[in-house]
Amino acid sequence: VPLPKDIVERFDGRGMAVVGFELDQVRRSPSGGDDISVPMSVAYNHHFESTMVGKHAAFEKIRFSGPDDPRLRKMNMGHGVPSHSEHWTVRDLGTSLGTLPISQDFGGANGGEVRKSFHGYAPGFAQVIDSPTHLQVTPMQIDTWHRELMNVSHPTRFVPGPVPRTSLAPLEGPDAVYSGLLECPVTTRIRKEVEGAYVAQPR
């Protein structure tokens, strides 16, 4: 996503110090007006990663040879990369003559509460980026919108939708106030065979 023009022009050839950030999840207004916040009960953000690049860097799509590609081991994102076939990464264009970072990663280990919550750094600390131009976001979204029984606009009332058979969340009654998808139940549609063994011994 391109950064606002005034930001790009203001920090062209200079470092921008990011001392915090705030975000929201919105949808476009059908009338073309202001963006509309999406109810948290409709779409839940489990976690996210984001990267900002400056004019001396660029986002580049690389293609892997398969799950054993050695480059995958260098891209440990906690949950791993979203795909073992291709991935977007940052490429240094080699045009920077300074010492400031040409890209920065931003993230947070929180989920839905990340929205409209200011993420501020301690006084005296910042993430600095040279000549910022673009921001990329990788959200891990969980779709909890029951299309037939829920309104996507405010106000809305949560209604549990379809979940895998392994979900233990209640689907009816007074305790049915959240989607079982938020507990990341294992699907029965994918079979995985794990090879290897280990022994855990107490010290």
Side-chain angles (χ1 to χ4, degrees):
V1 178
L3 296 179
K5 183 180 178 181
D6 61 318
I7 294 295
V8 174
E9 293 178 349
R10 178 182 175 185
F11 292 100
D12 185 24
R14 306 170 57 193
M16 181 177 75
V18 179
V19 296
F21 62 92
E22 187 175 340
L23 59 91
D24 190 14
Q25 186 172 352
V26 301
R27 63 185 180 89
R28 296 294 188 184
S29 170
S31 62
D34 294 338
D35 291 341
I36 304 172
S37 290
V38 176
M40 196 178 298
S41 57
V42 167
Y44 182 82
N45 179 59
H46 189 276
H47 61 271
F48 72 97
E49 299 290 341
S50 60
T51 302
M52 186 181 294
V53 298
K55 70 177 183 180
H56 301 295
F59 291 112
E60 179 180 62
K61 180 186 287 187
I62 59 176
R63 299 188 182 278
F64 301 116
S65 59
D68 296 325
D69 193 309
R71 292 174 295 178
L72 282 170
R73 291 193 291 269
K74 300 178 182 179
M75 299 181 178
N76 183 12
M77 296 173 59
H79 284 266
V81 296
S83 171
H84 286 173
S85 60
E86 61 184 30
H87 183 64
W88 286 93
T89 187
V90 176
R91 179 168 62 93
D92 186 343
L93 299 178
T95 57
S96 176
L97 301 178
T99 59
L100 296 178
I102 59 174
S103 68
Q104 286 283 10
D105 294 325
F106 302 92
N110 48 2
E113 64 273 17
V114 67
R115 295 174 53 185
K116 299 183 179 181
S117 297
F118 179 67
H119 295 64
Y121 304 151
F125 290 84
Q127 285 184 270
V128 181
I129 178 171
D130 185 14
S131 307
T133 59
H134 291 78
L135 176 69
Q136 176 268 343
V137 179
T138 304
M140 202 293 271
Q141 294 284 179
I142 301 178
D143 186 348
T144 56
W145 176 25
H146 196 311
R147 268 90 171 145
E148 297 177 356
L149 300 176
M150 287 177 62
N151 180 12
V152 72
S153 302
H154 295 280
T156 187
R157 181 179 65 88
F158 175 73
V159 180
V163 293
R165 293 195 302 268
T166 53
S167 173
L168 301 178
L171 296 178
E172 57 186 9
D175 294 329
V177 294
Y178 70 99
S179 171
L181 296 177
L182 303 185
E183 298 173 339
C184 301
V186 178
T187 178
T188 56
R189 297 184 180 184
I190 300 176
R191 178 181 177 86
K192 289 189 176 182
E193 296 182 2
V194 180
E195 297 180 0
Y198 66 92
V199 177
Q201 296 179 338
R203 291 188 175 183

